[in-house]
Structures are given as C-alpha cells and as structure tokens.
Amino acid sequence: MKIVIAKDFSQAPGARYESEGPNSGEKFRNDILVPKYKEAVENGEILEIDLDGCYGFATSFLEESLGG
C-alpha cells in the first residue's frame, strides 16, 4: 500500500496545524495517513509514503504528520 503525498494530498504541503493554513501536517495525518495506516495494519500490508513530486516540506509539516 502506498501514499503519494503529491498525488493523494498536495504538491505544496503546508505548515503544522490546520489553523495555520491549507495542506497542513495535521490534516494529512488525520485525513490520509491514519486511515491508510489502519487499513494497512488490518490487511497485514506495509505502508509506503512517497515524498517525491512535492515542492518541498516544512519541518513542522513533517514533524506533525510523521514525527512525534
């Protein structure tokens, strides 16, 4: 199973929180990552996250969505 951030979410990921603007790490985590992760676990699959194709990533986006 694979998430391609540029295709499945946005080519221009934003800041940490939804209150800080569009395409936030919080929105990605809640709307894309967590549901796909749960699906992968239920199906015994590996979840791959493809970061290619985006204009760049704020460290706050990466920490909120993938860190912690």
Side-chain angles (χ1 to χ4, degrees), residues 34-48:
V34 170
K36 283 288 189 183
Y37 175 77
K38 288 179 179 179
E39 184 182 343
V41 169
E42 288 173 5
N43 294 324
E45 296 183 40
I46 293 173
L47 178 60
E48 179 182 347

Side-chain angles (χ1 to χ4, degrees), residues 12-62:
R16 180 180 298 266
Y17 301 116
E18 289 188 68
S19 62
E20 297 174 324
N23 308 321
S24 68
E26 180 181 35
K27 183 168 181 58
F28 172 74
R29 185 189 70 235
N30 292 336
D31 294 354
I32 307 289
L33 181 60
V34 170
K36 283 288 189 183
Y37 175 77
K38 288 179 179 179
E39 184 182 343
V41 169
E42 288 173 5
N43 294 324
E45 296 183 40
I46 293 173
L47 178 60
E48 179 182 347
I49 302 169
D50 186 339
L51 304 174
D52 289 341
C54 292
Y55 297 115
F57 292 93
T59 54
S60 57
F61 175 92
L62 294 172

Side-chain angles (χ1 to χ4, degrees), residues 2-11 32 50 52-54:
K2 186 174 186 176
I3 297 171
V4 179
I5 294 178
K7 182 179 133 261
D8 299 330
F9 185 64
S10 175
Q11 289 181 327
I32 307 289
D50 186 339
D52 289 341
C54 292

